[in-house]
Amino acid sequence: MPETRTAIVTGSARGIGAAIAERLASDGYAVAVLDLDEGACLSVVERITAGGGTALAVGCDVSDEQSVGAAVERVATELGAPTVLVNNAGVLRDNLIFKMSVDDWDTVMNVHLRGSFLMTRAAQKYMTEAKFGRIVNLSSTSAQGNRGQVNYSAAKAGLQGFTKTLAIELGKFGVTANAIAPGFIVTDMTKATAERVGIDFKEFQQLAAKEIPVQRVGRPADIANAASFFCSEAAGFVSGQVLYVAGGPYD
């Protein structure tokens, strides 16, 4: 990179987001570790700084316009203009549709779709001014449909359309937008799913691995590797794409 660039990774206090934040820091970015609870980000920041990187813990509700505006402005002031954004923040409110509440629907839509919109709208100003930007949105194999996840599936499919449109609108400013769609990744969220369906987490992973062509479940580092590429200089001619990181083929 010609200079130190600043990246924001939402939902990065743990799991996939933390792995992406740490990978981008090792790639040479100054990283804003952003999550709802600023205190929960501190351990990730400490690991980054202990490794010689630069990081800032930022508390932000990505579904709240004022919170997003304040957070992005703080990042720009304290770390530098954010020209890399990874929209990873997400929540689960799984249920079959006849049991799903309006709150369950709205919460998932607000974090995944509204949050990605607000964060991108705030950050793209810095990207277009710099004539360089990288936007990575976290979709999911659930975008293809998944029982008990009508809200999550709809949100993740929506992020794919969001990504493709960003690529069209922002490309002339040197900004790329791509999406990563993880399959089964070992995280607190998949552990919670196992608990919800009443299956031991280790057994849950073993069952999942049998259905995956590469015969293993994914790790957060698998997603961080893909994010590293999409955020790099080398990915400047790749935009509007959805990469399924799932151990097998998806359309």
Side-chain angles (χ1 to χ4, degrees):
M1 291 184 292
E3 71 275 344
T4 299
R5 292 199 169 107
T6 298
I8 298 174
V9 184
T10 72
S12 53
R14 62 190 62 79
I16 290 172
I20 293 172
E22 291 180 55
R23 174 57 187 268
L24 293 183
S26 72
D27 289 344
Y29 299 87
V31 180
V33 180
L34 188 148
D35 213 298
L36 187 60
D37 177 7
E38 186 169 317
C41 302
L42 294 176
S43 61
V44 180
V45 169
E46 287 169 4
R47 289 197 296 272
I48 289 172
T49 54
T54 301
L56 174 71
V58 181
C60 177
D61 177 357
V62 296
S63 68
D64 181 84
E65 185 176 7
Q66 289 186 325
S67 181
V68 166
V72 173
E73 186 175 340
R74 180 184 167 201
V75 171
T77 300
E78 297 187 31
L79 280 185
T83 54
V84 174
L85 171 65
V86 180
N87 286 309
N88 168 76
V91 293
L92 291 176
R93 296 292 185 273
D94 294 352
N95 226 326
L96 296 174
I97 190 166
F98 76 95
K99 295 180 180 179
M100 186 170 290
S101 69
V102 171
D103 282 346
D104 287 342
W105 175 270
D106 287 347
T107 297
V108 169
M109 290 297 159
N110 285 343
V111 174
H112 292 269
L113 285 176
R114 180 182 169 92
S116 295
F117 159 69
L118 289 173
M119 288 298 305
T120 302
R121 190 182 64 173
Q124 59 83 34
K125 174 172 71 96
Y126 298 96
M127 299 180 188
T128 55
E129 288 174 356
K131 295 293 188 285
F132 175 92
R134 298 286 186 263
I135 300 165
V136 179
N137 298 314
L138 269 291
S139 180
S140 168
T141 55
S142 293
Q144 302 289 333
N146 195 33
R147 181 179 173 83
Q149 289 193 318
V150 70
N151 49 1
Y152 187 79
S153 295
K156 291 305 194 182
L159 281 171
Q160 296 188 15
F162 177 68
T163 299
K164 291 175 184 293
T165 304
L166 291 177
I168 293 167
E169 291 189 7
L170 299 176
K172 66 182 179 181
F173 300 104
V175 179
T176 65
N178 292 286
I180 300 170
F184 190 108
I185 308 295
V186 177
T187 65
D188 289 343
M189 287 179 77
T190 47
K191 185 177 182 181
T193 300
E195 291 171 353
R196 180 176 60 83
V197 298
I199 300 176
D200 175 75
F201 191 36
K202 186 171 287 187
E203 182 184 353
F204 193 52
Q205 293 177 57
Q206 292 169 345
L207 290 169
K210 289 178 181 177
E211 302 300 318
I212 299 170
V214 300
Q215 295 288 286
R216 73 168 177 90
V217 294
R219 301 286 172 182
D222 293 312
I223 309 306
N225 290 337
S228 174
F229 169 68
F230 278 144
C231 294
S232 71
E233 291 276 346
F237 202 55
V238 182
S239 196
Q241 302 304 304
V242 179
L243 177 63
Y244 282 85
V245 183
Y250 276 84
D251 293 327

